[in-house]
Amino acid sequence: MARAYSIYDVFTGTKLAGNPLAVVFDGDGLSDETMQAIAAELKLSETVFVIPADNPAHTARIRIFTPGRELPFAGHPTVGTAIALAERSYGGEGASLDIVSVIEEKIGPVRCAVRLREDEAAFAEFDLPKVPVRLDHPLDRQGVADALSLKSTDIGFENHVPSIWTAGVPFAVIPVHNLQAVESLDFDAELWQQVAPFAEGGLVSAYVYCRGGVNHTARFHARMFAAGMGISEDPATGSAVAALAGAIHHFDAMPDGHHPVLVEQGVEMGRPSYIHLHMDIKDGSISRARIGGQAVRIATGTLEI
């Protein structure tokens, strides 16, 4: 059976940058094993399979697979799929409109807003389906430093220390001293497996961050390593930024109000990505958070499966 698919570069408005995503538009009838095999074959960070929504008022239901396992939720697949479905339905030449859709993921329904504009890369943002929470798993500072091939003094800045947060997918959120340390680190997957805990069904991935960025508008610069998902390094990770939101709010003691944060990732891979995080703080807690970014289509085709 021929199944249409497209590949999008996500969290970027420039082709061949950002994080590539495959969207298979007709995933109905494929077994879990076949979906996993297709994701492994394509070797992208994630492959999405679109199937009919359980609720007819929703746009679609999606399954998200890395080359190694299925995820209940992920950021760049949500942004990329929302844009892909909007362009497929409304994105004729000269289209300029705003669309609100609901995409069903394993974590639950995710509300998305898509902006289509003529001669401009599409933009989508979504409400976090789950507010980030901290998991009570200790991390050995020296062990983390060894896995990153850094000195222990490179780990942490100000009052930021390594911690584990989840907004659907757990990450070890690791602050490092400065941009030079992030750029120079050398991730050792074997050492990481010795120091990282298991949480929510898988090995916790490493999300390394510092203040500032190569782009002067970025508030934070980050890299993500996910050996447990079959990903050596990821150019952009929305679910990790969702987890990072918890750490930023906690360690920076953010006051009530609206806080926009731009996170850059993928620079060291030659695939710069820009992830927009918006947090609303009320009574000292995150009351709402959104993640967004651009995406551009770079390929279309069919799977003969």
Side-chain angles (χ1 to χ4, degrees):
M1 176 179 176
R3 301 174 189 268
Y5 76 95
S6 292
I7 295 177
Y8 278 75
D9 285 336
V10 183
F11 289 127
T12 180
T14 304
K15 294 182 179 182
L16 305 180
N19 198 354
L21 170 76
V23 181
V24 180
F25 293 104
D26 183 9
D28 208 18
L30 292 174
S31 68
D32 294 1
E33 293 77 14
T34 300
M35 291 183 190
Q36 185 64 77
I38 291 170
E41 179 96 356
L42 294 177
K43 294 183 174 62
L44 301 179
S45 293
E46 278 102 355
T47 297
V48 165
F49 298 88
V50 179
I51 54 183
D54 292 333
N55 185 333
H58 296 167
T59 304
R61 183 157 65 97
I62 64 173
R63 304 278 300 276
I64 304 169
F65 287 82
T66 74
R69 66 183 178 98
E70 185 175 8
L71 298 177
F73 157 74
H76 106 276
T78 301
V79 167
T81 302
I83 289 172
L85 293 175
E87 289 187 342
R88 189 172 171 86
S89 296
Y90 307 104
E93 187 172 346
S96 182
L97 69 162
D98 298 313
I99 302 157
V100 175
S101 63
V102 177
I103 296 175
E104 297 174 359
E105 303 184 19
K106 282 207 165 184
I107 198 172
V110 181
R111 180 183 176 276
C112 306
V114 181
R115 183 178 70 229
L116 300 180
R117 295 291 185 269
E118 185 178 4
D119 300 324
E120 183 179 311
F123 181 93
E125 66 177 3
F126 62 89
D127 295 327
L128 291 192
K130 179 180 177 182
V131 174
V133 295
R134 188 172 183 176
L135 301 182
D136 188 21
H137 292 286
L139 285 169
D140 176 66
R141 186 189 191 101
Q142 186 61 58
V144 167
D146 291 343
L148 300 179
S149 304
L150 295 175
K151 298 178 294 185
S152 63
T153 52
D154 288 325
I155 306 300
F157 61 79
E158 300 160 14
N159 63 329
H160 285 239
V161 297
S163 53
I164 298 177
W165 295 80
T166 180
V169 180
F171 290 89
V173 180
I174 304 168
V176 298
H177 186 64
N178 55 28
L179 184 62
Q180 182 180 5
V182 179
E183 292 174 337
S184 65
L185 71 84
D186 185 9
F187 183 74
D188 188 316
E190 291 187 4
L191 287 179
W192 181 253
Q193 290 175 19
Q194 296 174 24
V195 71
F198 279 79
E200 299 182 357
L203 183 73
V204 169
S205 301
Y207 193 69
V208 185
Y209 70 100
C210 68
R211 288 205 195 277
V214 175
N215 185 319
H216 73 278
T217 62
R219 291 272 302 279
F220 293 93
H221 178 93
R223 299 177 70 178
M224 198 284 275
F225 306 91
M229 299 181 190
I231 302 168
S232 57
E233 182 171 357
D234 199 33
T237 319
S239 56
V241 173
L244 177 66
I248 295 172
H249 169 252
H250 176 76
F251 293 118
D252 286 348
M254 302 180 80
D256 284 5
H258 177 74
H259 300 271
V261 176
L262 182 66
V263 180
E264 70 177 17
Q265 190 179 332
V267 174
E268 290 80 6
M269 302 176 69
R271 301 192 67 96
S273 307
Y274 300 99
I275 304 171
H276 296 261
L277 167 66
H278 290 262
M279 289 185 285
D280 293 321
I281 311 299
K282 184 178 180 180
D283 298 328
S285 299
I286 299 175
S287 62
R288 183 189 180 202
R290 304 186 306 281
I291 285 176
Q294 293 178 297
V296 288
R297 186 175 65 245
I298 65 164
T300 58
T302 55
L303 292 174
E304 300 295 334
I305 297 172

